Structures are given as C-alpha cells and as structure tokens.
Amino acid sequence: MCIEEEIPIIETAGYRPDVYAEQIKESGITWIHKGATIDFVKHGEKLGADAVVLVGLDGYGFKNIRQLPTFTSIAWAAPQMEVPLIAAGGIGDARTMLAALMAGADGVYMGSAFMATKECPISERIKQNMINAKPDHPDLIYELLAPLRPEDYQEVMELRRRMPVEKWLPALEMVMLKHHEWKDVDFMKVQEKILHQDPDSPPSLGSRPKGPFSFVCGYINQIQTVQQLIENMVQDAEQIMTNVVRQWELT
C-alpha cells in the first residue's frame, strides 16, 4: 500500500524487516529502520536501510532485554554505522538534542515531546500529567529502566505463535514495561483512556502522574504547538552553541 500510494518515506520496526527489504529498495522509497539494540540497526543497514533509528531505554514504549540507555547506545553505535544514525529515547529539548548530536547521532527522533503539543489528540489530562511528572519518580524509573520479570518474559514469548500479532505485541510491550497485569489488560480500553481521559479526574495518590511518556517529562513544562516546539528547540540550541563558542574565544 505504501508503494502504491508513493509514500516518500517508510519506517520498519518491531520485527526483522528481511521479507520487505528487497521490495522497499526496488520501490525507491527512502527507508528508515528503527531498533532497540545495535545489532538490530546494523542488520537494517546491512539490508539496505537508508537510515536507522536507535532507541535507548530513556524512551517509553517497546523495550528489549539488551537495550541500553540512549547516550550509551549512540556513543557505542556511531563509529560502527555507515548510514545516518538517528537517536531516540528521552529527547525533547535543545540540550538533549545537542547531547545526542555530540554523542555521534546525525539526527534525533522524538515521541513523548510531541504528545505534549496542542495538535496531539491525546487526553489533555495526560499532557498536564507530563508537565507535572518528575523523571526521578521511582515508578517511572521502574517502568523504563528496571529489569523485567523473567517468568513474565518467558510466558509471553511462549504465546508468540498462539496470539494474533495485534494482541501479542502490546502484551510483550506491557511485559517489558513491567505491567504485571498484562494478561488481563484490554488494550482497546487502554488506548481509549489515553485519548479521552477526564481532565477533571483526581490523580492517583501515591503514584506518578499517569501517562505513557518518557523521561522527557523532566524538561516539558508547557503545552506548545508543534511549530513552537521545533522553533524553540532550534533557537535554544543555536543560543547554547553561541555561548559555547564565546566561552572558547574567552579562553
């Protein structure tokens, strides 16, 4: 469908893209492959991907048992890659963008930061939760960084061939995020809650502000338009670099 509709860029992720590689390359579409480990992105490069996204543990969402923090991943991968390397995971302002570029990335990939924009159709309560949340909250650290329970991982992997992929992948993601009730979760209701959570509902006591967002909550302090988010990041980055150059000149 992407080829028929002449989509200019296609992204593969989640699975090895081997069965699609030849078809994508023949189409001439720019191909980006996203992975959670160096081995996955190097495999995409070997198959002919035009660029790769390497996602660190700092990001929310799908995890891998061999995944590393974002800047460790990028600094390690950069000398090994020949195609453009895009950093992802906990990037959402000028400083984290510049840090990723200095670590060796050719660009950055953002998710949670765009959730806190006016255009994003998720619940306004979740956007406010992101502003109120702190990246050092133990619950968030546990979700993003703590090792998963081996028994949960083994069980969900055994279900791989017996569950429809649209149910198995969210179940695997829940396991990776240490949501121990993963077998009883209604994923359609979860998605509905993300989109329409009541902005006036009271927060859960004793827990972090709810929402599927990453450590980027530490530097998201307002809801902006997408244009404002990008323009402010670029302007702030330029100012930081100007200040650095001035410091060099003074020394």
Side-chain angles (χ1 to χ4, degrees):
M1 181 64 71
C2 290
I3 294 171
E4 290 178 0
E5 295 297 326
E6 299 181 346
I7 301 300
I9 301 173
I10 191 169
E11 178 191 285
T12 53
Y15 279 99
R16 288 183 178 270
D18 304 49
V19 296
Y20 305 109
E22 184 176 353
Q23 191 176 11
I24 295 172
K25 294 304 293 181
E26 289 179 353
S27 73
I29 293 175
T30 298
W31 173 24
I32 301 174
H33 181 61
K34 182 171 70 173
T37 71
I38 291 178
D39 287 347
F40 286 159
V41 295
K42 287 176 69 175
H43 183 71
E45 178 186 61
K46 183 178 179 181
L47 291 174
D50 298 294
V52 296
V53 179
L54 182 53
V55 188
L57 282 171
D58 308 54
Y60 196 86
F62 205 90
K63 301 290 179 180
N64 186 280
I65 56 175
R66 294 181 57 199
Q67 201 168 4
L68 295 169
T70 299
F71 296 114
T72 300
S73 295
I74 296 302
W76 185 24
Q80 303 181 49
M81 306 302 300
E82 295 184 7
V83 299
L85 174 64
I86 303 168
I91 297 169
D93 68 349
R95 288 180 175 82
T96 46
M97 176 179 69
L98 286 174
L101 298 179
M102 293 300 101
D106 298 292
V108 297
Y109 183 111
M110 301 192 305
S112 297
F114 285 116
M115 290 169 58
T117 59
K118 294 180 180 179
E119 292 91 335
C120 186
I122 66 170
S123 161
E124 291 300 314
R125 177 56 184 274
I126 290 179
K127 296 179 186 181
Q128 289 298 327
N129 283 353
M130 195 183 311
I131 292 173
N132 295 333
K134 295 181 179 181
D136 64 349
H137 193 291
D139 289 352
L140 185 58
I141 292 172
Y142 179 70
E143 279 187 312
L144 302 188
L145 301 183
L148 73 164
R149 296 201 308 188
E151 58 269 30
D152 285 346
Y153 180 70
Q154 182 177 353
E155 186 173 355
V156 75
M157 292 305 291
E158 289 174 352
L159 292 171
R160 182 173 184 175
R161 304 300 181 189
R162 290 183 276 151
M163 290 178 67
V165 67
E166 65 271 15
K167 291 185 178 180
W168 181 77
L169 275 177
L172 178 60
E173 181 177 38
M174 287 290 181
V175 169
M176 293 293 185
L177 290 167
K178 282 74 72 177
H179 293 190
H180 301 317
E181 72 284 1
W182 62 272
K183 287 182 284 188
D184 302 319
V185 171
D186 184 326
F187 298 108
M188 293 302 294
K189 289 183 179 179
V190 170
Q191 295 301 318
E192 186 70 15
K193 189 173 183 180
I194 290 172
L195 289 173
H196 303 298
Q197 190 178 39
D198 183 0
D200 297 320
S201 61
S204 300
L205 296 177
S207 182
R208 76 174 180 91
K210 296 298 183 181
F213 46 79
S214 71
F215 288 133
V216 79
C217 63
Y219 25 91
I220 295 293
N221 53 27
Q222 61 180 321
I223 299 173
Q224 310 176 82
T225 65
V226 171
Q227 181 176 350
Q228 289 170 333
L229 171 65
I230 299 299
E231 288 181 349
N232 288 340
M233 282 183 64
V234 172
Q235 291 171 5
D236 290 347
E238 289 175 344
Q239 185 61 56
I240 290 170
M241 293 303 296
T242 298
N243 292 342
V244 169
V245 171
R246 287 175 179 167
Q247 289 293 328
W248 286 341
E249 290 174 345
L250 290 174
T251 56

